[in-house]
């Protein structure tokens, strides 16, 4: 197992290739399912479940699925796991399922899942593909929860359903338009911080170049 690839795959979906804030995928559930933290978390976990297992099975079957019908096959695989999610939520979380069942069904055509199946799982081994599903799923869940926390705080004066004493409810902040504003602000903040981290990493790498060149020159002299 390539440790560098494992590390890159796992942290890719969380930071560098975050599906919500960097790749800007899955915008529909991002806005529709983040009015509360509970909805955001449930949507994120459901999507992550489908991502992990669809990636895994696409990878396992990548040499069997004919290239001409790969997209319909991916959708069949994804649909199977979406149905499992629907059955579990309907059985154990009926109230939550009733508020978001339309968007659970739409996970089938979520562009994050189709994109990872096509661009990653179809050309990587099962372990890496499952890890990519975990990474992308965690990145998506974290982004949705962050947006959900902000929206619920301003629209309902609460956190995870618990009212915050003394905080006034702001009219209009429960609308989708406010959701887009929160989404845009958090996206800008995330990418600003991400760029600062990347610039610092590159600067540190440039500082090590003279040392590497000196070591290389010393090796050449010794030869």
């Amino acid at each position: 197992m390539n440790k560098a690839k494992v590390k890159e795959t796992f942290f890719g979906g969380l930071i560098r290739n975050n599906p919500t804030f960097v790749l800007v995928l899955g915008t529909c559930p991002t806005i529709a399912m983040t009015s509360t933290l509970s909805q955001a978390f449930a949507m994120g976990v459901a999507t992550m479940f489908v991502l992990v297992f669809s990636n895994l099975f696409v990878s396992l079957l990548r040499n069997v699925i004919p290239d001409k019908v790969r997209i319909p096959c991916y959708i069949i695989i994804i649909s199977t796991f979406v149905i499992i999610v629907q059955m579990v939520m309907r059985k154990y979380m009926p109230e939550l399922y009733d508020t978001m069942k339309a968007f659970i069904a739409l996970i089938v055509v979520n562009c994050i899942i189709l994109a990872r199946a096509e661009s990653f799982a179809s050309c990587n081994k099962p372990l890496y593909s499952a890890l990519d599903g975990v990474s992308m799923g965690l990145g998506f869940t974290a982004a949705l929860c962050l947006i959900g926390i902000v929206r619920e705080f301003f629209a309902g004066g609460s956190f995870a359903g618990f009212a915050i004493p003394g905080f006034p409810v702001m009219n209009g902040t429960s609308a989708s338009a406010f959701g887009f504003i929160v989404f845009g602000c958090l996206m800008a903040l995330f990418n600003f911080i991400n760029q600062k981290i990347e610039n610092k990493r590159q600067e540190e790498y440039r500082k090590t170049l003279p040392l590497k060149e000196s070591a290389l020159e010393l090796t050449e002299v010794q030869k």
Side-chain angles (χ1 to χ4, degrees):
M1 185 186 297
N2 189 328
K3 292 183 178 180
K5 186 172 182 179
V6 169
K7 183 179 179 181
E8 181 182 354
T9 301
F10 181 75
F11 288 102
L14 290 169
I15 302 172
R16 185 173 298 178
N17 293 316
N18 185 281
T20 304
F21 292 140
V22 178
L23 302 181
V24 198
L25 299 174
T27 306
C28 180
T30 298
I31 301 301
M33 290 289 101
T34 54
S35 57
T36 64
L37 177 59
S38 59
Q39 281 189 345
F41 182 74
M43 175 57 69
V45 172
T47 304
M48 181 167 63
F49 174 84
V50 178
L51 257 170
V52 172
F53 285 97
S54 61
N55 267 16
L56 178 62
F57 276 81
V58 167
S59 179
L60 288 170
L61 299 173
R62 68 187 188 280
N63 295 323
V64 178
I65 298 174
D67 188 61
K68 291 183 178 180
V69 294
R70 67 187 187 281
I71 300 300
C73 289
Y74 297 164
I75 292 176
I76 291 172
I77 293 171
I78 294 167
S79 300
T80 301
F81 294 106
V82 171
I83 291 171
I84 293 173
V85 170
Q86 287 179 310
M87 293 171 65
V88 171
M89 289 191 69
R90 190 183 295 121
K91 174 68 175 179
Y92 297 103
M93 294 172 283
E95 294 182 2
L96 183 60
Y97 177 74
D98 287 339
T99 64
M100 54 190 299
K101 57 185 177 182
F103 291 93
I104 294 295
L106 286 174
I107 292 176
V108 174
V109 291
N110 190 312
C111 48
I112 300 173
I113 301 174
L114 286 172
R116 300 319 292 175
E118 174 69 8
S119 65
F120 195 93
S122 63
C123 51
N124 281 277
K125 294 180 179 179
L127 179 60
Y128 293 123
S129 299
L131 186 62
D132 178 75
V134 173
S135 175
M136 286 289 168
L138 286 174
F140 184 63
T141 303
L144 259 62
C145 288
L146 188 58
I147 296 170
I149 288 170
V150 176
R151 291 185 67 184
E152 183 178 353
F153 178 75
F154 282 102
S158 60
F159 174 80
F162 296 98
I164 300 173
F167 187 84
V169 176
M170 299 183 181
N171 295 328
T173 53
S174 60
S176 297
F178 183 72
F180 275 107
I181 294 172
V182 174
F183 179 33
C185 291
L186 290 177
M187 182 191 298
L189 179 62
F190 181 90
N191 284 283
F192 174 77
I193 295 172
N194 199 18
Q195 188 61 50
K196 288 289 185 180
I197 294 172
E198 182 64 21
N199 291 341
K200 185 177 180 180
R201 188 187 67 82
Q202 291 180 1
E203 183 179 347
E204 290 176 352
Y205 176 75
R206 284 194 293 268
K207 289 179 180 178
T208 64
L209 287 179
L211 297 176
K212 291 180 179 180
E213 292 174 356
S214 299
L216 183 60
E217 291 174 359
L218 181 59
T219 303
E220 291 294 330
V221 170
Q222 290 176 347
K223 288 182 179 180

